[in-house]
Amino acid sequence: MTSNTVTPHDRAEELRGRRREVESGSHRATEAQHAKGKLTARERIELLLDPGSFKEVEQLRRHRATGFGLEAKRPYTDGVITGWGTVEGRTVFVYAHDFRIFGGALGEAHATKIHKIMDMAISAGAPLVSLNDGAGARIQEGVSALAGYGGIFQRNTRASGVIPQISVMLGPCAGGAAYSPALTDFVFMVRETSQMFITGPDVVKAVTGEEITQNGLGGADVHAETSGVAHFAYDDEETCIAEVRYLIGMLPSNNRENPPTVQSDDPADRRGDVLLDLVPADGNRPYDMHQVIEELVDDGDYLEIHERWARNIICAMARLDGQVVGIVANQPQALAGVLDIEASEKAARFVQMCDAFNIPIITLLDVPGFLPGVDQEHGGIIRHGAKLLYAYCNATVPRISLILRKAYGGAYIVMDSQSIGADLTYAWPTNEIAVMGAEGAANVIFRRQIAESDQPDVTREQLVKEYQAELMHPYYAAERGLIDDVIDPADTRSTLISGLAMLHAKHADLPARKHGNPPT
């Protein structure tokens, strides 16, 4: 006698069949994705996470929308893959738009899945990575799709400074969808295949008459060099995602933890005699601050943030004796290392990120001042410069500043001077701390003497030398307690490491308040 009763084994096999179908996806859609030089969402997740670690959430979710033919097309996942896995053994949450389904467009079910994984990441205290490749809101679902974006933005804001949030742009991101990456801590982009803009080229042409391509309007190079929206830009997805893994390895899981430390084979007491030749004593001669950073950090290895935007200041993450640090440094090779609007914004955001995630800050100063000019003043250099000042003053992590050469005027104060709360301040014997350069100071102070002299050029040169000898010698600030010590450049690495070790358990409380009101 035969039976038509369905057994648990049958149901299990049915489930396995459904999963295979969902995970393989449409062969035709996969080929189309690859033809564009893009990986599928699942291929990207495999690159990001440790092998075999991914646990998917709501794989079998489908939308419930009707109208415009939607009721006849209800694919599993609804165009977004969500879940968690590990990166170097540490838990990381991820969601990835699947462009093969509805072009990765966001509908109500799609958004609900993202909301859930974001809530899980916040509750678990683990980083969140979004792999973005979507066509924006699903037009057929109308306002429900727009409300879904609102829920994402609200959670981005709630997670800010609590868990690291990383946005990886691997396709188009237009309209309101672009605001979610802008709310996260780091934005990665891939050249040619990823774009971000609020209004696309067609709208720009209709409104302004300007003709421009998608990449010209919002491509990776535009946002990495001009707008500052993207922190990193790479030529291919594999390299991009590998760098995301590297960055995660330098960040804590959440704001209650310290960044992971590693055992370093680079001796803490290694002398840097080469530093004596890298930095010229003549304040008018440029040099590459990257070479200084390479000499100081473990194995010369560091990750520069916003490398191609506001090049007159360097923001980088590195390790000193295995401990993660954030480095802010003026770059004399670009605009002589001055602070301008973009440099102030770039450094301020970086300082805030470091402070939020318990990363000590090392500041390397060689700054001649703020960039003068009508454009800078009218553009709000006062307001933008105050952002950096506010960020430093508000930071409670260990802070060590080192003056390599010039430190003039308000820029010296803003770049984490002792007076705004730096825990330790050091200077090399080549340092010059002053209100302004000797030439400018002499022209102001001794204007009458120079004007009345029979040989004004000779008089000016003599008075400049007198001013330098009196107020700008390397030990003037040390004599007045404005720096803690003048150090041998060769001892810089060991000095920074010993300072960080002393400050390791630093605890500082801010005044009770709902939040500050920083300049914007």
Side-chain angles (χ1 to χ4, degrees):
M1 179 177 177
T2 60
S3 173
N4 292 325
T5 303
V6 177
T7 69
H9 292 281
D10 296 329
R11 291 301 190 191
E13 181 55 37
E14 179 189 10
L15 172 62
R16 286 190 290 269
R18 288 185 184 233
R19 291 205 188 283
R20 285 192 295 269
E21 180 183 348
V22 172
E23 291 171 7
S24 62
S26 164
H27 179 68
R28 186 175 178 180
T30 299
E31 284 187 334
Q33 183 80 345
H34 288 165
K36 298 174 185 175
K38 295 160 65 175
L39 300 174
T40 67
R42 294 190 184 277
E43 289 169 340
R44 291 162 175 166
I45 291 173
E46 288 176 6
L47 286 175
L48 175 67
L49 301 176
D50 297 336
S53 69
F54 181 55
K55 305 297 180 185
E56 191 168 350
V57 175
E58 295 193 351
Q59 183 186 67
L60 303 178
R61 185 72 177 259
R62 300 196 293 180
H63 73 76
R64 299 173 295 180
T66 58
F68 305 102
L70 284 177
E71 62 273 12
K73 188 177 182 181
R74 299 178 62 231
Y76 289 119
T77 74
D78 200 47
V80 65
I81 301 168
T82 59
W84 77 89
T86 60
V87 172
E88 301 295 336
R90 299 166 62 217
T91 299
V92 172
F93 288 80
V94 60
Y95 68 86
H97 299 128
D98 191 342
F99 197 84
R100 300 174 302 171
I101 298 174
F102 296 126
L106 181 139
E108 183 180 16
H110 181 121
T112 302
K113 288 181 64 175
I114 295 175
H115 296 168
K116 180 172 183 175
I117 210 67
M118 295 179 78
D119 290 338
M120 291 174 69
I122 296 169
S123 297
L128 174 70
V129 178
S130 62
L131 303 175
N132 297 271
D133 186 7
R138 195 174 300 168
I139 299 173
Q140 300 94 320
E141 294 195 31
V143 71
S144 296
L146 294 179
Y149 275 122
I152 294 173
F153 302 157
Q154 191 269 343
R155 287 166 175 82
N156 284 139
T157 304
R158 187 154 52 91
S160 180
V162 178
I163 58 171
Q165 298 180 84
I166 300 172
S167 298
V168 189
M169 315 311 296
L170 302 166
C173 184
Y179 283 115
S180 177
L183 289 168
T184 61
D185 300 300
F186 299 98
V187 176
F188 288 73
M189 294 189 73
V190 176
R191 294 185 181 91
E192 302 303 324
T193 57
S194 66
Q195 303 88 28
M196 297 174 67
F197 37 70
I198 298 299
T199 53
D202 292 341
V203 176
V204 170
K205 182 179 179 180
V207 174
T208 70
E210 299 171 286
E211 292 193 20
I212 192 166
T213 64
Q214 288 194 349
N215 281 317
L217 181 63
D221 288 327
V222 168
H223 288 310
E225 297 178 13
T226 305
S227 72
V229 169
H231 299 75
F232 306 95
Y234 298 99
D235 291 330
D236 58 82
E237 293 190 20
E238 291 84 355
T239 303
C240 179
I241 294 174
E243 289 298 294
V244 173
R245 284 178 58 90
Y246 181 72
L247 173 61
I248 290 172
M250 302 190 79
L251 295 170
S253 293
N254 55 66
N255 64 342
R256 301 182 302 277
E257 298 181 5
N258 290 323
T261 58
V262 299
Q263 187 68 36
S264 176
D265 295 325
D266 195 347
D269 59 354
R270 171 173 56 80
R271 284 180 59 81
D273 293 302
V274 68
L275 293 170
L276 293 164
D277 299 315
L278 281 179
V279 181
D282 181 356
N284 294 319
R285 288 180 58 194
Y287 62 93
D288 189 354
M289 185 65 82
H290 290 108
Q291 294 180 313
V292 176
I293 295 172
E294 287 174 11
E295 183 62 25
L296 294 177
V297 303
D298 292 354
D299 303 311
D301 188 26
Y302 63 92
L303 177 65
E304 187 168 355
I305 315 297
H306 271 142
E307 178 181 1
R308 297 160 61 198
W309 181 59
R311 292 176 185 245
N312 42 320
I313 201 160
I314 297 170
C315 297
M317 297 176 66
R319 281 189 165 90
L320 283 171
D321 199 28
Q323 179 180 353
V324 176
V325 296
I327 298 172
V328 180
N330 305 109
Q331 172 57 297
Q333 276 195 337
L335 295 175
V338 298
L339 288 178
D340 61 1
I341 289 173
E342 291 185 345
S344 298
E345 288 191 343
K346 170 179 169 178
R349 184 76 192 278
F350 182 72
V351 168
Q352 288 173 174
M353 186 279 299
C354 289
D355 187 50
F357 294 115
N358 307 313
I359 300 172
I361 301 167
I362 306 293
T363 305
L364 306 177
L365 286 87
D366 191 344
V367 59
F370 283 95
L371 181 64
V374 174
D375 288 345
Q376 289 290 307
E377 296 295 345
H378 288 185
I381 184 63
I382 296 172
R383 176 167 48 87
H384 293 285
K387 294 178 184 179
L388 180 55
L389 180 61
Y390 188 99
Y392 269 124
C393 290
N394 204 47
T396 60
V397 292
R399 292 154 50 190
I400 302 176
S401 65
L402 170 68
I403 300 162
L404 281 66
R405 206 167 56 172
K406 301 183 299 296
Y408 293 163
Y412 153 62
I413 300 296
V414 168
M415 289 287 292
D416 207 20
S417 63
Q418 188 182 91
S419 60
I420 67 169
D423 298 295
L424 292 170
T425 53
Y426 297 107
W428 284 0
T430 47
N431 82 83
E432 293 180 356
I433 306 174
V435 175
M436 63 178 68
E439 290 279 351
N443 287 336
V444 172
I445 298 172
F446 306 115
R447 181 186 297 109
R448 181 174 298 176
Q449 294 95 311
I450 294 171
E452 294 175 352
S453 172
D454 295 333
Q455 297 179 296
D457 292 340
V458 174
T459 302
R460 180 185 293 106
E461 183 178 352
Q462 178 183 349
L463 292 173
V464 166
K465 290 179 179 178
E466 289 181 10
Y467 181 84
Q468 288 175 320
E470 183 69 23
L471 294 177
M472 295 182 67
H473 63 79
Y475 307 102
Y476 183 85
E479 291 170 2
R480 284 152 182 79
L482 299 177
I483 58 174
D484 293 300
D485 201 5
V486 178
I487 63 172
D488 182 342
D491 294 329
T492 302
R493 174 175 163 83
S494 60
T495 299
L496 294 176
I497 289 173
S498 64
L500 289 171
M502 180 275 292
L503 292 166
H504 182 71
K506 175 188 174 183
H507 177 76
D509 290 319
L510 292 172
R513 59 185 175 187
K514 186 175 181 180
H515 56 74
N517 185 23
T520 58

